[in-house]
Amino acid sequence: MSEAASWAGTPSIKGSSESMRMALLTFSLIGLQFTWGIEMTYCTPYLLQLGLTKSKTSLVWIAGPLSGLIMQPVVGVIADRSKSKWGRRRPFMVGGALIVGCCLVVLGWTSEIVGVFVADPETRKSGTIALAVLSIYAVDFAINAVQSSCRSLIVDTLPIPKQQLGSAWASRMVASGHVIGYVAGTVNLVGIFGKTFGDTQFKQLCLISAAVLLLAVGVTSYSVKERVLLAGRESDAKTGAIHMFAQILKTTLNLPPRIQAICWAQFWAWIGWFPFLFYSTTWVGETYFRYDVPHKHPATSPTPPSDALGEIGRVGSLSLVIFSLVSFTGSLIFPWLIVSPDDMGKKRKFTPRPPASLAPLISGLNLDWVSWKPDLLTAWLVSHLVFSFTMIWAPFVSSLKMATVLVSICGVPWALTSWAPFAFMGVEINKIGASSPSTPPHHSSSTLSHTTSTRANGSTMHTYHLLSPSLHDGVENDTHEMTSSPSPSSHLHSSSSHSASASLLDPEHSPSTDLPPHSSTGELAGIYLGILNLFTTLPQFVGTFISTIVFALLEPGMSPELAGGAGGKNEGEADIPAPGDGVNAIAVCLFIGALSTFVAAYATSRMRHVA
């Protein structure tokens, strides 16, 4: 029997209500998604404005999958073994956020920084492009470390019955970050703040995103208390780089069937989502310049304005604001309409009844008022199909309105994409972490204990514990109630459980105790979520390869909308088409992505047959 890891302390979250605790636990994702949104909205047109061709710009975006491929599994393994007194995740969150903030400032002021050292205009232009690309790579590598730690913190802190709720709140925070970021992109910040925080929209957004990320990460880090790892498992004794990568490879090649199925569904889905997230803003803006501007000003040349970057960013951000609002609304509504993955397959011990006011109507229609609710797996499958049938029309778009409608519809599947895979992974990870030779994985009833404590400074901390299974394994507990007791803790227990047989499993009291299958250890959260990210980033390499070929064939020159081309020609390059000529290359990439998402739908449907 392998020696189990030992811990000190208990995970806890500040807040007076469950909603507040969930919000504080996931608040860091607002800053994270805000920063991602600014990068995805503005960096592509920014690089095109600097003079890069679309094919070269697509190669720059290999930074995203490359950083995810390396950083998330590596940071996950290192954090899983960390014995810091501050916990395993928060030090990486804070450190990574500081690095991201510094790199965003450099990205916004690349021209000025290079100008301090270089006087020659041509050399200065090349140096600006190089520094901008390096800054994007640094931002991507650091923000992936933050993202890995933020997601793992959720899995570490919550027990299995709360994993879906935690993932739902994470989805809400991601959608909120999208909304805030895209709304900020539509506002003329220079007109509001003047040139105090930068003389361009892009500079001010870089500064704001750095501040928002640091604030959001700071709030979560202050509000959550982690367990401290005292001693790891014997198998984790070796800490060398070779052993670490060998562990990642071995785990990836020997994934449990259920986790492997989740990862493959994610793989095919993200071949479709990659071009949408990175190029949709530019696509909407270029559609506007190709079709709407010539119709508005038929007597003038369709040459873009001098502030083409800001114009494309604002037009594209407006469509993504609607996309984010749709996604945010879905993240609020879907958890109430969809069955939890932890409840899938369980038999009901009661007959669900509608509210009394609706009972006559429901009885007259002879309907079961909850029987229509889909499970999360079905909802995820349908979301793939919605995305596919929407973006397959991208090459046929000929107006800003139609492009905006398609982008907005995609907010529905994005709400589920931000929620479903992490909810499934959270459940599976905790089942694996809670299983041990002395505690076989079974699905007996368990009781959840919610502890409230007050610190010396007056702040309130809340902890979720799990009580041991009832002696009557055949009885499932469906009704929970809050009770008061003389002890400092308030226990949320089942009405059918036997308190005499329940014992509180506190890692602080018994470091080597084998936890029951519904408890939350999160011991392997870092590496498994890192592997899930591998299957999120590898398709981005595929997407980059596809987009590079498409851009090279259809739009080999610089962007006519952003680089001032109206039919000009660069030395050694093919003719640059004027706006409105030919098929939009980004639209073709979106179409190919839609085809891939059909495969994701099939892969998701296969999960139902995987034990």
Side-chain angles (χ1 to χ4, degrees):
M1 175 177 173
S2 61
E3 183 180 342
S6 59
W7 308 83
T10 305
S12 55
I13 313 169
K14 294 178 185 292
S16 57
S17 65
E18 183 172 71
S19 295
M20 177 61 70
R21 292 190 289 276
M22 290 295 177
L24 292 173
L25 175 63
T26 58
F27 192 78
S28 59
L29 296 176
I30 290 182
L32 193 72
Q33 200 59 42
F34 182 95
T35 304
W36 275 123
I38 295 301
E39 183 186 36
M40 291 185 291
T41 301
Y42 273 88
C43 283
T44 295
Y46 177 59
L47 293 173
L48 293 174
Q49 189 184 52
L50 291 178
L52 283 182
T53 63
K54 283 187 177 179
S55 58
K56 291 180 180 177
T57 301
S58 66
L59 292 177
V60 171
W61 287 123
I62 204 172
L66 183 63
S67 59
L69 186 68
I70 297 173
M71 289 301 293
Q72 291 213 25
V74 171
V75 169
V77 171
I78 295 175
D80 283 347
R81 302 173 178 178
S82 174
K83 299 176 183 177
S84 168
K85 66 178 182 178
W86 304 107
R88 299 187 298 166
R89 314 300 177 187
R90 291 179 297 168
F92 290 94
M93 291 167 57
V94 174
L98 289 172
I99 295 173
V100 172
C102 293
C103 293
L104 284 171
V105 173
V106 172
L107 180 61
W109 277 264
T110 50
S111 180
E112 287 77 4
I113 293 173
V114 172
V116 172
F117 303 99
V118 179
D120 179 65
E122 287 299 320
T123 306
R124 180 175 178 177
K125 179 180 178 181
S126 300
T128 300
I129 293 174
L131 183 59
V133 171
L134 288 175
S135 298
I136 290 174
Y137 268 74
V139 167
D140 280 348
F141 271 81
I143 204 170
N144 267 286
V146 179
Q147 180 171 296
S148 172
S149 301
C150 290
R151 288 288 186 176
S152 296
L153 183 66
I154 298 171
V155 176
D156 287 354
T157 307
L158 300 177
I160 288 179
K162 297 292 180 183
Q163 286 296 326
Q164 162 140 334
L165 182 61
S167 293
W169 272 95
S171 177
R172 292 165 187 167
M173 294 301 174
V174 167
S176 299
H178 265 302
V179 172
I180 297 170
Y182 293 141
V183 167
T186 63
V187 176
N188 186 358
L189 298 176
V190 178
I192 296 175
F193 299 110
K195 298 183 179 180
T196 305
F197 303 108
D199 57 358
T200 66
Q201 179 93 348
F202 183 63
K203 288 179 180 178
Q204 295 200 8
L205 283 172
C206 285
L207 207 59
I208 292 173
S209 63
V212 170
L213 177 63
L214 290 170
L215 174 64
V217 169
V219 168
T220 294
S221 298
Y222 173 74
S223 303
V224 179
K225 176 186 175 183
E226 297 183 71
R227 295 189 304 172
V228 176
L229 180 64
L230 298 178
R233 297 171 300 172
E234 290 180 351
S235 59
D236 293 337
K238 298 180 181 179
T239 58
I242 296 178
H243 179 266
M244 179 175 60
F245 283 105
Q247 180 186 357
I248 294 173
L249 179 61
K250 181 180 178 181
T251 307
T252 304
L253 296 177
N254 296 278
L255 289 174
R258 185 82 175 163
I259 291 181
Q260 187 179 69
I262 297 168
C263 289
W264 278 113
Q266 185 83 331
F267 176 87
W268 291 106
W270 270 83
I271 293 179
W273 280 108
F274 170 73
F276 178 88
L277 294 174
F278 279 89
Y279 300 127
S280 58
T281 302
T282 308
W283 173 61
V284 172
E286 289 186 350
T287 300
Y288 172 72
F289 280 116
R290 280 172 177 254
Y291 302 106
D292 293 78
V293 170
H295 288 135
K296 289 182 179 180
H297 309 284
T300 62
S301 170
T303 302
S306 57
D307 189 22
L309 172 62
E311 187 71 14
I312 278 187
R314 280 188 287 271
V315 171
S317 292
L318 182 60
S319 66
L320 289 175
V321 166
I322 304 173
F323 161 84
S324 300
L325 290 173
V326 173
S327 177
F328 179 72
T329 303
S331 68
L332 291 176
I333 296 175
F334 289 154
W336 300 97
L337 303 178
I338 296 172
V339 179
S340 165
D342 193 48
D343 293 334
M344 289 165 56
K346 290 183 179 179
K347 286 187 176 181
R348 292 186 179 272
K349 299 297 184 293
F350 60 93
T351 301
R353 300 186 182 279
S357 59
L358 297 178
L361 175 63
I362 299 298
S363 300
L365 295 176
N366 194 28
L367 295 174
D368 181 350
W369 73 287
V370 292
S371 62
W372 60 270
K373 290 176 66 174
D375 57 45
L376 186 57
L377 187 62
T378 301
W380 193 21
L381 187 154
V382 172
S383 74
H384 295 319
L385 297 177
V386 171
F387 180 81
S388 297
F389 283 113
T390 301
M391 296 317 299
I392 206 167
W393 292 100
F396 309 102
V397 169
S398 58
S399 69
L400 174 63
K401 289 183 179 179
M402 187 174 179
T404 302
V405 168
L406 294 186
V407 170
S408 301
I409 293 173
C410 290
V412 174
W414 176 249
L416 285 154
T417 299
S418 302
W419 167 30
F422 298 101
F424 285 118
M425 286 293 287
V427 171
E428 297 302 321
I429 288 170
N430 277 301
K431 284 180 180 178
I432 293 172
S435 300
S436 67
S438 61
T439 308
H442 53 80
H443 294 280
S444 61
S445 62
S446 57
T447 57
L448 194 63
S449 165
H450 169 232
T451 302
T452 305
S453 60
T454 303
R455 288 182 166 183
N457 60 6
S459 62
T460 303
M461 300 295 290
H462 295 260
T463 305
Y464 290 107
H465 305 274
L466 195 83
L467 303 179
S468 64
S470 169
L471 291 176
H472 302 279
D473 288 343
V475 179
E476 290 202 26
N477 303 318
D478 294 303
T479 305
H480 300 275
E481 59 181 5
M482 291 292 289
T483 61
S484 300
S485 65
S487 66
S489 301
S490 298
H491 300 292
L492 180 66
H493 64 86
S494 167
S495 61
S496 63
S497 65
H498 297 266
S499 58
S501 66
S503 61
L504 181 63
L505 294 175
D506 190 338
E508 191 171 15
H509 299 154
S510 180
S512 61
T513 301
D514 293 322
L515 299 177
H518 283 289
S519 68
S520 176
T521 65
E523 186 177 345
L524 301 173
I527 187 169
Y528 277 118
L529 288 177
I531 290 171
L532 176 65
N533 192 69
L534 287 179
F535 284 82
T536 305
T537 54
L538 286 174
Q540 296 179 44
F541 284 101
V542 177
T544 299
F545 176 73
I546 293 172
S547 60
T548 300
I549 295 176
V550 172
F551 292 152
L553 292 176
L554 298 180
E555 296 184 24
M558 293 186 294
S559 170
E561 289 80 11
L562 278 165
K569 186 175 182 178
N570 295 325
E571 183 178 354
E573 293 180 333
D575 291 334
I576 303 174
D581 291 349
V583 179
N584 188 292
I586 295 178
V588 174
C589 294
L590 295 173
F591 176 84
I592 296 173
L595 298 180
S596 174
T597 318
F598 280 117
V599 183
Y602 173 75
T604 303
S605 69
R606 297 293 302 166
M607 286 177 56
R608 200 174 299 278
H609 308 290
V610 178

